[in-house]
Amino acid sequence: MKFALLSRNPLGWVTRSLGKEFADLGHTATIVSSRALVASLGQVPKILASGFDLSSDFNAVLLRVLGFNSLDETLHVIETCRSLERLGQVLVNSEKATSNCLNKFGMLDKLSASGVKVPATRVVRRVEDGIKAFEEMGDVVLKPIFGSRGMGVVRAADAETAKFALEEMVFRGQVPLVQEFVAHEGFDVRALVVGGRVAAAMKRESPGLRTNISRGGKPIPMKVDAELEEIALKASGALSCDYSGVDLLPSSRGTYVLEVNSQPDYRALQSVTGRNISSEIAGLVIQKARR
């Protein structure tokens, strides 16, 4: 079978690793840059890229399209996914799952509505509303609703820090997410869910707030217990993901879900666990294409 890897970073490690695993499984995988997308609209709509018709030339399309995109680029990608599905193409993850994980506001709202434990959160537009949320919570983490890799995340344990961070975010046109700080033991857990099970997991240790590997977090392989696995699967399923990276925060008040990523970077996880995650994801895509 033939597969497309639609990627915003065609030279990235994850994209190249996935391409290799499709080939090792006896299939053809073509890496296509999302910047080459062309939507042809009219009586016979088509989604084209680099000489291919993405709706008909492949058995399925694996998405690696999110990241540091502008709003225009993000909306373009989402509308492209919707068009491809209307034309009958299989996407992994689906447009629904991709949209569900697109911003922290919508993601946390859906998780909470599904009974998944998330930190107390306020999404505000005005500085004064953010200050009020800080005063009620006492110690908070401020995040933009769009973002990844820990960029723009600030802990505010005092009013001056909270006010300064909120003013800066509002000035930049960002929508602040004010979240209670959950005391923990210096680590969180990244669980990689593939096809309804946790394929691999690791602790991410850090003396500071950010545990992201790209921000200096130390990866340590671990085996999740039944409770953590159940929480990870529930969170991933609530957002309709075929595969995902689920960030879990164990604490004295129970385990919280911080985030679910529909297109996770798992290079560090694959390295420290020795699990061939790319092969498992490729196998999942092949299964979905055969249905």
Side-chain angles (χ1 to χ4, degrees):
M1 289 192 287
K2 297 180 180 180
F3 299 93
L5 303 179
L6 185 60
S7 177
R8 68 178 296 276
N9 184 12
L11 299 179
W13 181 88
V14 170
T15 300
R16 290 184 290 108
S17 176
L18 286 164
K20 176 182 178 300
E21 294 307 323
F22 276 107
D24 287 350
L25 291 170
H27 301 275
T28 300
T30 302
I31 297 174
V32 180
S33 172
S34 58
R35 296 183 182 276
L37 286 168
V38 176
S40 178
L41 308 179
Q43 289 185 336
V44 184
K46 295 181 179 180
I47 302 297
L48 310 172
S50 301
F52 297 100
D53 183 340
L54 293 183
S55 62
S56 61
D57 289 346
F58 303 99
N59 297 96
V61 177
L62 178 56
L63 300 176
R64 300 291 307 178
V65 292
L66 300 181
F68 297 109
N69 296 327
S70 68
L71 179 59
D72 279 13
E73 289 172 323
T74 300
L75 292 175
H76 174 247
V77 162
I78 294 300
E79 292 302 330
T80 297
C81 292
R82 288 175 181 157
S83 295
L84 283 170
E85 288 186 334
R86 280 197 299 270
L87 292 168
Q89 185 56 278
V90 175
L91 302 184
V92 179
N93 277 302
S94 67
E95 181 276 324
K96 180 180 181 181
T98 303
S99 294
N100 283 343
C101 299
L102 192 58
N103 73 86
K104 294 178 176 63
F105 177 15
M107 176 189 62
L108 290 170
D109 182 46
K110 293 176 179 67
L111 288 174
S112 181
S114 298
V116 176
K117 189 180 182 70
V118 300
T121 303
R122 301 278 180 84
V123 181
V124 302
R125 294 291 300 275
R126 302 184 303 179
V127 172
E128 54 264 40
D129 293 324
I131 292 296
K132 183 178 179 181
F134 163 77
E135 291 172 346
E136 293 177 4
M137 297 180 190
D139 190 354
V140 301
V141 178
L142 301 170
K143 309 174 182 178
I145 64 170
F146 284 104
S148 61
R149 300 177 182 270
M151 301 292 288
V153 177
V154 177
R155 181 180 176 185
D158 61 83
E160 183 179 359
T161 301
K163 184 174 184 293
F164 179 82
L166 285 163
E167 287 176 340
E168 183 174 19
M169 292 174 73
V170 171
F171 176 77
R172 290 179 175 177
Q174 295 174 319
V175 176
L177 184 150
V178 186
Q179 196 169 71
E180 67 169 325
F181 175 77
V182 178
H184 55 88
E185 298 180 2
F187 71 89
D188 68 4
V189 175
R190 163 58 68 88
L192 205 294
V193 175
V194 181
R197 67 184 184 86
V198 174
M202 66 180 175
K203 289 183 179 180
R204 300 185 298 185
E205 292 187 346
S206 173
L209 176 65
R210 301 175 184 86
T211 58
N212 309 72
I213 303 303
S214 61
R215 309 289 285 183
K218 179 182 178 182
I220 300 174
M222 68 174 290
K223 181 175 177 58
V224 296
D225 58 24
E227 179 186 3
L228 286 181
E229 182 164 25
E230 181 181 0
I231 295 170
L233 295 182
K234 185 175 182 179
S236 185
L239 299 172
S240 303
C241 292
D242 294 309
Y243 82 100
S244 66
V246 182
D247 294 341
L248 305 159
L249 185 65
S251 78
S252 60
R253 293 186 285 160
T255 298
Y256 292 84
V257 173
L258 300 179
E259 188 168 352
V260 178
N261 191 325
S262 68
Q263 296 172 28
D265 188 322
Y266 52 82
R267 183 176 187 175
L269 180 59
Q270 180 160 307
S271 176
V272 299
T273 62
R275 297 295 300 271
N276 192 336
I277 297 169
S278 291
S279 181
E280 298 204 27
I281 294 173
L284 172 70
V285 178
I286 293 165
Q287 283 185 340
K288 288 187 69 68
R290 284 175 173 161
R291 291 176 186 171

